Amino acid sequence: MPRRPRVHLDNFPLHIVQRGHNRQPCFFTEEDYQSYLHWLSEALVESECALHAYVLMTNHVHLLLTPTKAEAIPKLLISLGRRYVQYINRTYRRTGTLWDSRYKSSLVQAEIYLLTCQRYIELNPVRAAMVDDPAHYRWSSYRANGLGQPDARLTPHSLYQALGRTSPERQAAYRALFRAHLDRDAIDDIRLALNQNQPLGNERFYATIEQMTGMRRETKPRGRPRAKSPAGEPMQAGQNEFVME
């Protein structure tokens, strides 16, 4: 089966997930997390990408960023991966790959999904039952976005900036978003888009991508019923898949 093309666009937010090979751990000690974040900082500057949110889990990484140039994304991940893997192999006297060969990515419609994606990313340690509050997890962007802890890697998105007139107001408004449970359908939509390397947004967003990329969009069954027809028959939600002409 041919691989689905990734959809990356200049100045459009992108949700990226990179997992350890065979879902094996890729972080082992505190120094490993710190080393990854150090090289992430360098790669962001080199690639001119703005990072809005992140979390480093034991066996995978989530990044939410906006590239100035779409072609910088693979370069960022290759550069970051090469430096970090060399460090891990040297430190632990191992050889071979550390990451899965292909990262997952999903273009994000900012006005609908960006802050939801940030919450999804920063709540990963809570969903994994590692902590009961995202503020208790050190290796994510929550402490910066929600509590004002300095983090030079981050560039707040304009939608985050619009949460308040001052930094304390923005942080308080952001923390308030976490008081409600993340909608189950939103979680499913984010995961589906990531797993299939497809954009996350509405019909207008899909039309914009079609126009900008020349890629054709097909709507296929999602695979699970989410509504019923007037006659009571289950209907499956559409899954938007971009394919090359």
Side-chain angles (χ1 to χ4, degrees):
M1 178 182 293
R3 289 175 173 175
R4 293 183 179 90
R6 294 192 183 98
V7 186
H8 299 166
L9 293 174
D10 298 355
N11 299 309
F12 276 70
L14 192 68
H15 182 187
I16 295 172
V17 174
Q18 192 164 30
R19 298 188 179 278
H21 183 61
N22 289 332
R23 297 182 179 263
Q24 294 298 306
C26 41
F27 299 101
F28 306 94
T29 67
E30 180 174 309
E31 186 177 354
D32 299 341
Y33 292 95
Q34 292 171 342
S35 296
Y36 182 94
L37 290 174
H38 168 74
W39 284 307
L40 174 60
S41 299
E42 292 190 354
L44 289 167
V45 173
E46 293 168 358
S47 61
E48 298 183 3
C49 290
L51 181 68
H52 313 306
Y54 67 87
V55 67
L56 312 186
M57 302 294 284
T58 306
N59 65 355
H60 68 282
V61 172
H62 286 260
L63 305 174
L64 179 64
L65 51 79
T66 299
T68 302
K69 296 294 183 182
E71 60 266 24
I73 295 297
K75 296 176 182 177
L76 179 150
L77 292 171
I78 289 171
S79 172
L80 174 59
R82 181 178 62 249
R83 293 171 180 174
Y84 184 69
V85 172
Q86 288 176 348
Y87 155 78
I88 288 292
N89 285 352
R90 182 176 63 251
T91 300
Y92 298 101
R93 298 182 180 180
R94 66 184 297 279
T95 59
T97 186
L98 182 68
W99 305 103
D100 271 351
S101 58
R102 279 177 63 83
Y103 63 90
K104 300 287 188 179
S105 66
S106 175
L107 208 64
V108 176
Q109 186 174 12
E111 62 267 29
I112 295 178
Y113 277 105
L114 185 119
L115 292 177
T116 301
C117 274
Q118 289 200 186
R119 290 169 62 203
Y120 174 85
I121 289 169
E122 293 171 352
L123 283 169
N124 255 259
V126 177
R127 286 195 300 275
M130 299 171 74
V131 294
D132 57 7
D133 186 311
H136 298 160
Y137 192 74
R138 294 180 57 191
W139 313 111
S140 88
S141 51
Y142 179 81
R143 291 184 178 185
N145 288 324
L147 303 177
Q149 178 176 293
D151 191 333
R153 288 171 287 271
L154 294 177
T155 301
H157 192 274
S158 59
L159 288 171
Y160 175 88
Q161 297 280 29
L163 290 174
R165 292 174 298 175
T166 66
S167 292
E169 284 184 4
R170 288 190 287 271
Q171 292 154 20
Y174 190 71
R175 291 195 302 272
L177 296 176
F178 285 73
R179 293 182 190 138
H181 289 293
L182 195 58
D183 183 74
R184 184 73 241 178
D185 286 343
I187 292 175
D188 290 343
D189 288 343
I190 291 169
R191 287 175 174 170
L192 181 68
L194 275 174
N195 288 335
Q196 307 226 342
N197 287 309
Q198 293 295 312
L200 181 66
N202 61 19
E203 289 294 325
R204 178 168 55 84
F205 188 58
Y206 303 142
T208 299
I209 295 171
E210 282 186 328
Q211 184 177 20
M212 294 182 69
T213 64
M215 298 172 72
R216 177 171 52 87
R217 177 168 57 93
E218 293 182 349
T219 301
K220 298 183 177 182
R222 178 185 293 272
R224 71 177 180 90
R226 288 179 59 180
K228 289 189 176 181
S229 70
E233 295 297 324
M235 299 186 302
Q236 290 180 324
Q239 165 196 332
N240 295 284
E241 180 175 320
F242 283 81
V243 297
M244 298 299 292
E245 293 282 5

mmCIF file of all heavy atoms in Angstrom, residues 26-64:
data_model
loop_
_atom_site.group_PDB
_atom_site.id
_atom_site.type_symbol
_atom_site.label_atom_id
_atom_site.label_comp_id
_atom_site.label_asym_id
_atom_site.label_seq_id
_atom_site.Cartn_x
_atom_site.Cartn_y
_atom_site.Cartn_z
ATOM 1 N N CYS A 26 12.601 5.813 24.881
ATOM 2 C CA CYS A 26 13.630 6.640 24.254
ATOM 3 C C CYS A 26 14.221 7.651 25.235
ATOM 4 O O CYS A 26 15.139 8.394 24.879
ATOM 5 C CB CYS A 26 13.088 7.346 23.013
ATOM 6 S SG CYS A 26 11.433 8.016 23.169
ATOM 7 N N PHE A 27 13.704 7.664 26.463
ATOM 8 C CA PHE A 27 14.274 8.465 27.543
ATOM 9 C C PHE A 27 14.455 7.555 28.753
ATOM 10 O O PHE A 27 13.568 6.781 29.100
ATOM 11 C CB PHE A 27 13.347 9.630 27.914
ATOM 12 C CG PHE A 27 13.098 10.587 26.784
ATOM 13 C CD1 PHE A 27 11.919 10.515 26.058
ATOM 14 C CD2 PHE A 27 14.030 11.553 26.449
ATOM 15 C CE1 PHE A 27 11.676 11.387 25.012
ATOM 16 C CE2 PHE A 27 13.792 12.433 25.407
ATOM 17 C CZ PHE A 27 12.614 12.342 24.687
ATOM 18 N N PHE A 28 15.618 7.665 29.398
ATOM 19 C CA PHE A 28 15.949 6.750 30.492
ATOM 20 C C PHE A 28 16.294 7.483 31.796
ATOM 21 O O PHE A 28 16.036 6.967 32.882
ATOM 22 C CB PHE A 28 17.114 5.852 30.083
ATOM 23 C CG PHE A 28 16.872 5.112 28.791
ATOM 24 C CD1 PHE A 28 17.320 5.635 27.584
ATOM 25 C CD2 PHE A 28 16.158 3.919 28.777
ATOM 26 C CE1 PHE A 28 17.088 4.968 26.388
ATOM 27 C CE2 PHE A 28 15.921 3.242 27.589
ATOM 28 C CZ PHE A 28 16.379 3.764 26.389
ATOM 29 N N THR A 29 16.901 8.656 31.680
ATOM 30 C CA THR A 29 17.275 9.421 32.861
ATOM 31 C C THR A 29 16.900 10.886 32.659
ATOM 32 O O THR A 29 16.586 11.320 31.535
ATOM 33 C CB THR A 29 18.790 9.345 33.142
ATOM 34 O OG1 THR A 29 19.495 10.025 32.087
ATOM 35 C CG2 THR A 29 19.255 7.890 33.221
ATOM 36 N N GLU A 30 16.970 11.655 33.720
ATOM 37 C CA GLU A 30 16.673 13.084 33.640
ATOM 38 C C GLU A 30 17.585 13.779 32.632
ATOM 39 O O GLU A 30 17.160 14.678 31.904
ATOM 40 C CB GLU A 30 16.838 13.700 35.025
ATOM 41 C CG GLU A 30 16.551 15.184 35.083
ATOM 42 C CD GLU A 30 16.597 15.707 36.505
ATOM 43 O OE1 GLU A 30 15.934 15.107 37.378
ATOM 44 O OE2 GLU A 30 17.295 16.716 36.724
ATOM 45 N N GLU A 31 18.842 13.358 32.580
ATOM 46 C CA GLU A 31 19.776 13.977 31.648
ATOM 47 C C GLU A 31 19.348 13.760 30.197
ATOM 48 O O GLU A 31 19.595 14.609 29.334
ATOM 49 C CB GLU A 31 21.186 13.415 31.875
ATOM 50 C CG GLU A 31 22.252 14.113 31.028
ATOM 51 C CD GLU A 31 23.641 13.601 31.323
ATOM 52 O OE1 GLU A 31 23.793 12.796 32.265
ATOM 53 O OE2 GLU A 31 24.579 14.016 30.619
ATOM 54 N N ASP A 32 18.692 12.633 29.908
ATOM 55 C CA ASP A 32 18.230 12.376 28.546
ATOM 56 C C ASP A 32 17.173 13.394 28.132
ATOM 57 O O ASP A 32 17.217 13.941 27.020
ATOM 58 C CB ASP A 32 17.650 10.961 28.438
ATOM 59 C CG ASP A 32 18.659 9.885 28.768
ATOM 60 O OD1 ASP A 32 19.875 10.171 28.726
ATOM 61 O OD2 ASP A 32 18.234 8.759 29.077
ATOM 62 N N TYR A 33 16.208 13.656 28.997
ATOM 63 C CA TYR A 33 15.181 14.652 28.692
ATOM 64 C C TYR A 33 15.820 16.027 28.466
ATOM 65 O O TYR A 33 15.461 16.754 27.526
ATOM 66 C CB TYR A 33 14.165 14.739 29.833
ATOM 67 C CG TYR A 33 13.294 13.526 30.014
ATOM 68 C CD1 TYR A 33 13.637 12.535 30.929
ATOM 69 C CD2 TYR A 33 12.113 13.367 29.289
ATOM 70 C CE1 TYR A 33 12.836 11.413 31.114
ATOM 71 C CE2 TYR A 33 11.299 12.255 29.467
ATOM 72 C CZ TYR A 33 11.670 11.284 30.383
ATOM 73 O OH TYR A 33 10.882 10.179 30.572
ATOM 74 N N GLN A 34 16.747 16.374 29.332
ATOM 75 C CA GLN A 34 17.398 17.677 29.215
ATOM 76 C C GLN A 34 18.196 17.783 27.919
ATOM 77 O O GLN A 34 18.195 18.841 27.263
ATOM 78 C CB GLN A 34 18.315 17.903 30.424
ATOM 79 C CG GLN A 34 17.560 18.063 31.731
ATOM 80 C CD GLN A 34 18.470 18.078 32.946
ATOM 81 O OE1 GLN A 34 19.626 17.643 32.878
ATOM 82 N NE2 GLN A 34 17.970 18.572 34.070
ATOM 83 N N SER A 35 18.863 16.690 27.537
ATOM 84 C CA SER A 35 19.644 16.699 26.304
ATOM 85 C C SER A 35 18.744 16.855 25.085
ATOM 86 O O SER A 35 19.045 17.621 24.155
ATOM 87 C CB SER A 35 20.464 15.410 26.197
ATOM 88 O OG SER A 35 21.412 15.322 27.244
ATOM 89 N N TYR A 36 17.624 16.137 25.078
ATOM 90 C CA TYR A 36 16.685 16.249 23.961
ATOM 91 C C TYR A 36 16.192 17.691 23.834
ATOM 92 O O TYR A 36 16.153 18.257 22.722
ATOM 93 C CB TYR A 36 15.516 15.300 24.161
ATOM 94 C CG TYR A 36 14.518 15.335 23.020
ATOM 95 C CD1 TYR A 36 14.609 14.435 21.960
ATOM 96 C CD2 TYR A 36 13.480 16.269 23.007
ATOM 97 C CE1 TYR A 36 13.700 14.472 20.913
ATOM 98 C CE2 TYR A 36 12.570 16.314 21.962
ATOM 99 C CZ TYR A 36 12.682 15.413 20.925
ATOM 100 O OH TYR A 36 11.777 15.455 19.870
ATOM 101 N N LEU A 37 15.819 18.307 24.956
ATOM 102 C CA LEU A 37 15.308 19.672 24.916
ATOM 103 C C LEU A 37 16.380 20.657 24.464
ATOM 104 O O LEU A 37 16.084 21.645 23.771
ATOM 105 C CB LEU A 37 14.765 20.070 26.289
ATOM 106 C CG LEU A 37 13.477 19.352 26.712
ATOM 107 C CD1 LEU A 37 13.107 19.724 28.145
ATOM 108 C CD2 LEU A 37 12.324 19.684 25.763
ATOM 109 N N HIS A 38 17.625 20.405 24.822
ATOM 110 C CA HIS A 38 18.725 21.259 24.369
ATOM 111 C C HIS A 38 18.828 21.222 22.850
ATOM 112 O O HIS A 38 18.897 22.285 22.198
ATOM 113 C CB HIS A 38 20.031 20.793 25.001
ATOM 114 C CG HIS A 38 21.256 21.423 24.395
ATOM 115 N ND1 HIS A 38 21.610 22.730 24.631
ATOM 116 C CD2 HIS A 38 22.190 20.909 23.532
ATOM 117 C CE1 HIS A 38 22.714 23.012 23.942
ATOM 118 N NE2 HIS A 38 23.077 21.925 23.280
ATOM 119 N N TRP A 39 18.828 20.030 22.266
ATOM 120 C CA TRP A 39 18.950 19.935 20.809
ATOM 121 C C TRP A 39 17.670 20.358 20.097
ATOM 122 O O TRP A 39 17.722 20.835 18.969
ATOM 123 C CB TRP A 39 19.378 18.525 20.419
ATOM 124 C CG TRP A 39 20.834 18.313 20.692
ATOM 125 C CD1 TRP A 39 21.883 19.090 20.277
ATOM 126 C CD2 TRP A 39 21.413 17.275 21.478
ATOM 127 N NE1 TRP A 39 23.071 18.599 20.747
ATOM 128 C CE2 TRP A 39 22.828 17.479 21.489
ATOM 129 C CE3 TRP A 39 20.901 16.182 22.173
ATOM 130 C CZ2 TRP A 39 23.701 16.637 22.154
ATOM 131 C CZ3 TRP A 39 21.771 15.344 22.836
ATOM 132 C CH2 TRP A 39 23.154 15.569 22.824
ATOM 133 N N LEU A 40 16.534 20.219 20.765
ATOM 134 C CA LEU A 40 15.298 20.744 20.202
ATOM 135 C C LEU A 40 15.396 22.261 20.064
ATOM 136 O O LEU A 40 15.003 22.832 19.036
ATOM 137 C CB LEU A 40 14.107 20.369 21.079
ATOM 138 C CG LEU A 40 12.751 20.976 20.694
ATOM 139 C CD1 LEU A 40 12.339 20.558 19.292
ATOM 140 C CD2 LEU A 40 11.683 20.575 21.714
ATOM 141 N N SER A 41 15.915 22.932 21.072
ATOM 142 C CA SER A 41 16.084 24.387 21.018
ATOM 143 C C SER A 41 16.940 24.795 19.831
ATOM 144 O O SER A 41 16.597 25.733 19.086
ATOM 145 C CB SER A 41 16.727 24.896 22.316
ATOM 146 O OG SER A 41 15.918 24.618 23.432
ATOM 147 N N GLU A 42 18.049 24.096 19.633
ATOM 148 C CA GLU A 42 18.930 24.423 18.516
ATOM 149 C C GLU A 42 18.251 24.163 17.181
ATOM 150 O O GLU A 42 18.359 24.971 16.240
ATOM 151 C CB GLU A 42 20.223 23.609 18.620
ATOM 152 C CG GLU A 42 21.106 23.999 19.785
ATOM 153 C CD GLU A 42 22.471 23.344 19.730
ATOM 154 O OE1 GLU A 42 22.679 22.482 18.833
ATOM 155 O OE2 GLU A 42 23.327 23.680 20.566
ATOM 156 N N ALA A 43 17.531 23.052 17.072
ATOM 157 C CA ALA A 43 16.873 22.700 15.813
ATOM 158 C C ALA A 43 15.767 23.697 15.478
ATOM 159 O O ALA A 43 15.535 24.001 14.295
ATOM 160 C CB ALA A 43 16.311 21.284 15.894
ATOM 161 N N LEU A 44 15.056 24.201 16.481
ATOM 162 C CA LEU A 44 14.002 25.186 16.233
ATOM 163 C C LEU A 44 14.579 26.464 15.645
ATOM 164 O O LEU A 44 14.003 27.050 14.721
ATOM 165 C CB LEU A 44 13.270 25.503 17.537
ATOM 166 C CG LEU A 44 12.373 24.404 18.092
ATOM 167 C CD1 LEU A 44 11.963 24.727 19.533
ATOM 168 C CD2 LEU A 44 11.130 24.211 17.226
ATOM 169 N N VAL A 45 15.716 26.913 16.155
ATOM 170 C CA VAL A 45 16.354 28.117 15.629
ATOM 171 C C VAL A 45 16.837 27.885 14.208
ATOM 172 O O VAL A 45 16.613 28.714 13.309
ATOM 173 C CB VAL A 45 17.524 28.548 16.537
ATOM 174 C CG1 VAL A 45 18.294 29.704 15.902
ATOM 175 C CG2 VAL A 45 17.014 28.949 17.914
ATOM 176 N N GLU A 46 17.487 26.750 13.989
ATOM 177 C CA GLU A 46 18.028 26.443 12.661
ATOM 178 C C GLU A 46 16.932 26.339 11.611
ATOM 179 O O GLU A 46 17.115 26.741 10.459
ATOM 180 C CB GLU A 46 18.820 25.130 12.716
ATOM 181 C CG GLU A 46 20.086 25.209 13.553
ATOM 182 C CD GLU A 46 20.683 23.835 13.829
ATOM 183 O OE1 GLU A 46 20.078 22.831 13.384
ATOM 184 O OE2 GLU A 46 21.733 23.766 14.486
ATOM 185 N N SER A 47 15.787 25.799 11.989
ATOM 186 C CA SER A 47 14.707 25.544 11.029
ATOM 187 C C SER A 47 13.683 26.678 10.973
ATOM 188 O O SER A 47 12.761 26.642 10.155
ATOM 189 C CB SER A 47 13.984 24.252 11.396
ATOM 190 O OG SER A 47 13.406 24.346 12.690
ATOM 191 N N GLU A 48 13.819 27.671 11.832
ATOM 192 C CA GLU A 48 12.880 28.800 11.901
ATOM 193 C C GLU A 48 11.452 28.303 12.133
ATOM 194 O O GLU A 48 10.508 28.710 11.451
ATOM 195 C CB GLU A 48 12.962 29.661 10.634
ATOM 196 C CG GLU A 48 14.314 30.295 10.426
ATOM 197 C CD GLU A 48 14.357 31.203 9.212
ATOM 198 O OE1 GLU A 48 13.306 31.374 8.558
ATOM 199 O OE2 GLU A 48 15.427 31.735 8.909
ATOM 200 N N CYS A 49 11.319 27.434 13.126
ATOM 201 C CA CYS A 49 10.006 26.923 13.522
ATOM 202 C C CYS A 49 9.653 27.470 14.896
ATOM 203 O O CYS A 49 10.516 27.589 15.767
ATOM 204 C CB CYS A 49 10.008 25.396 13.570
ATOM 205 S SG CYS A 49 10.110 24.605 11.942
ATOM 206 N N ALA A 50 8.377 27.803 15.081
ATOM 207 C CA ALA A 50 7.883 28.298 16.370
ATOM 208 C C ALA A 50 7.188 27.164 17.099
ATOM 209 O O ALA A 50 6.223 26.587 16.592
ATOM 210 C CB ALA A 50 6.922 29.453 16.148
ATOM 211 N N LEU A 51 7.663 26.836 18.290
ATOM 212 C CA LEU A 51 7.107 25.758 19.098
ATOM 213 C C LEU A 51 6.081 26.320 20.067
ATOM 214 O O LEU A 51 6.375 27.250 20.824
ATOM 215 C CB LEU A 51 8.235 25.058 19.863
ATOM 216 C CG LEU A 51 7.845 23.881 20.757
ATOM 217 C CD1 LEU A 51 7.367 22.698 19.916
ATOM 218 C CD2 LEU A 51 9.024 23.454 21.623
ATOM 219 N N HIS A 52 4.860 25.755 20.062
ATOM 220 C CA HIS A 52 3.778 26.232 20.923
ATOM 221 C C HIS A 52 3.537 25.315 22.121
ATOM 222 O O HIS A 52 3.122 25.794 23.182
ATOM 223 C CB HIS A 52 2.488 26.362 20.129
ATOM 224 C CG HIS A 52 2.648 27.074 18.821
ATOM 225 N ND1 HIS A 52 3.208 28.331 18.718
ATOM 226 C CD2 HIS A 52 2.347 26.695 17.546
ATOM 227 C CE1 HIS A 52 3.229 28.702 17.445
ATOM 228 N NE2 HIS A 52 2.716 27.723 16.730
ATOM 229 N N ALA A 53 3.751 24.018 21.942
ATOM 230 C CA ALA A 53 3.514 23.052 23.021
ATOM 231 C C ALA A 53 4.325 21.795 22.750
ATOM 232 O O ALA A 53 4.639 21.478 21.597
ATOM 233 C CB ALA A 53 2.024 22.717 23.141
ATOM 234 N N TYR A 54 4.642 21.068 23.829
ATOM 235 C CA TYR A 54 5.368 19.813 23.691
ATOM 236 C C TYR A 54 5.176 18.970 24.934
ATOM 237 O O TYR A 54 4.804 19.475 26.002
ATOM 238 C CB TYR A 54 6.871 20.048 23.453
ATOM 239 C CG TYR A 54 7.596 20.645 24.635
ATOM 240 C CD1 TYR A 54 8.133 19.839 25.645
ATOM 241 C CD2 TYR A 54 7.753 22.024 24.758
ATOM 242 C CE1 TYR A 54 8.790 20.391 26.736
ATOM 243 C CE2 TYR A 54 8.411 22.589 25.843
ATOM 244 C CZ TYR A 54 8.926 21.772 26.828
ATOM 245 O OH TYR A 54 9.577 22.308 27.910
ATOM 246 N N VAL A 55 5.423 17.682 24.778
ATOM 247 C CA VAL A 55 5.552 16.798 25.929
ATOM 248 C C VAL A 55 6.508 15.680 25.541
ATOM 249 O O VAL A 55 6.467 15.169 24.409
ATOM 250 C CB VAL A 55 4.184 16.218 26.383
ATOM 251 C CG1 VAL A 55 3.589 15.266 25.350
ATOM 252 C CG2 VAL A 55 4.316 15.514 27.729
ATOM 253 N N LEU A 56 7.396 15.336 26.467
ATOM 254 C CA LEU A 56 8.307 14.207 26.290
ATOM 255 C C LEU A 56 7.825 13.092 27.195
ATOM 256 O O LEU A 56 7.927 13.194 28.427
ATOM 257 C CB LEU A 56 9.748 14.602 26.652
ATOM 258 C CG LEU A 56 10.305 15.901 26.072
ATOM 259 C CD1 LEU A 56 11.777 16.036 26.435
ATOM 260 C CD2 LEU A 56 10.097 15.987 24.576
ATOM 261 N N MET A 57 7.283 12.039 26.590
ATOM 262 C CA MET A 57 6.853 10.875 27.331
ATOM 263 C C MET A 57 7.974 9.841 27.323
ATOM 264 O O MET A 57 8.982 10.005 26.636
ATOM 265 C CB MET A 57 5.567 10.311 26.724
ATOM 266 C CG MET A 57 4.420 11.312 26.676
ATOM 267 S SD MET A 57 3.831 11.800 28.309
ATOM 268 C CE MET A 57 2.896 10.328 28.753
ATOM 269 N N THR A 58 7.805 8.765 28.050
ATOM 270 C CA THR A 58 8.880 7.774 28.151
ATOM 271 C C THR A 58 9.272 7.206 26.797
ATOM 272 O O THR A 58 10.457 7.026 26.510
ATOM 273 C CB THR A 58 8.445 6.616 29.072
ATOM 274 O OG1 THR A 58 8.034 7.149 30.324
ATOM 275 C CG2 THR A 58 9.601 5.638 29.286
ATOM 276 N N ASN A 59 8.274 6.936 25.940
ATOM 277 C CA ASN A 59 8.579 6.282 24.666
ATOM 278 C C ASN A 59 8.083 7.045 23.451
ATOM 279 O O ASN A 59 8.051 6.503 22.350
ATOM 280 C CB ASN A 59 8.010 4.865 24.648
ATOM 281 C CG ASN A 59 6.496 4.843 24.706
ATOM 282 O OD1 ASN A 59 5.845 5.877 24.861
ATOM 283 N ND2 ASN A 59 5.924 3.662 24.577
ATOM 284 N N HIS A 60 7.694 8.322 23.601
ATOM 285 C CA HIS A 60 7.323 9.123 22.444
ATOM 286 C C HIS A 60 7.327 10.604 22.791
ATOM 287 O O HIS A 60 7.399 10.982 23.961
ATOM 288 C CB HIS A 60 5.971 8.694 21.870
ATOM 289 C CG HIS A 60 4.800 8.984 22.753
ATOM 290 N ND1 HIS A 60 4.475 8.217 23.848
ATOM 291 C CD2 HIS A 60 3.866 9.971 22.708
ATOM 292 C CE1 HIS A 60 3.387 8.704 24.423
ATOM 293 N NE2 HIS A 60 3.005 9.771 23.759
ATOM 294 N N VAL A 61 7.243 11.409 21.751
ATOM 295 C CA VAL A 61 7.312 12.861 21.871
ATOM 296 C C VAL A 61 6.177 13.483 21.066
ATOM 297 O O VAL A 61 5.874 13.037 19.954
ATOM 298 C CB VAL A 61 8.660 13.385 21.333
ATOM 299 C CG1 VAL A 61 8.670 14.896 21.261
ATOM 300 C CG2 VAL A 61 9.805 12.880 22.182
ATOM 301 N N HIS A 62 5.535 14.512 21.633
ATOM 302 C CA HIS A 62 4.567 15.330 20.911
ATOM 303 C C HIS A 62 5.133 16.734 20.763
ATOM 304 O O HIS A 62 5.625 17.319 21.744
ATOM 305 C CB HIS A 62 3.248 15.446 21.679
ATOM 306 C CG HIS A 62 2.401 14.223 21.655
ATOM 307 N ND1 HIS A 62 1.318 14.077 20.803
ATOM 308 C CD2 HIS A 62 2.448 13.093 22.376
ATOM 309 C CE1 HIS A 62 0.743 12.911 21.020
ATOM 310 N NE2 HIS A 62 1.417 12.287 21.973
ATOM 311 N N LEU A 63 5.014 17.305 19.562
ATOM 312 C CA LEU A 63 5.399 18.690 19.312
ATOM 313 C C LEU A 63 4.257 19.375 18.570
ATOM 314 O O LEU A 63 3.673 18.797 17.648
ATOM 315 C CB LEU A 63 6.665 18.773 18.447
ATOM 316 C CG LEU A 63 7.916 18.025 18.927
ATOM 317 C CD1 LEU A 63 9.006 18.107 17.860
ATOM 318 C CD2 LEU A 63 8.414 18.593 20.241
ATOM 319 N N LEU A 64 3.943 20.604 18.938
ATOM 320 C CA LEU A 64 3.000 21.434 18.191
ATOM 321 C C LEU A 64 3.759 22.686 17.791
ATOM 322 O O LEU A 64 4.146 23.488 18.654
ATOM 323 C CB LEU A 64 1.778 21.784 19.043
ATOM 324 C CG LEU A 64 0.725 22.670 18.363
ATOM 325 C CD1 LEU A 64 0.100 21.958 17.164
ATOM 326 C CD2 LEU A 64 -0.358 23.086 19.356
#
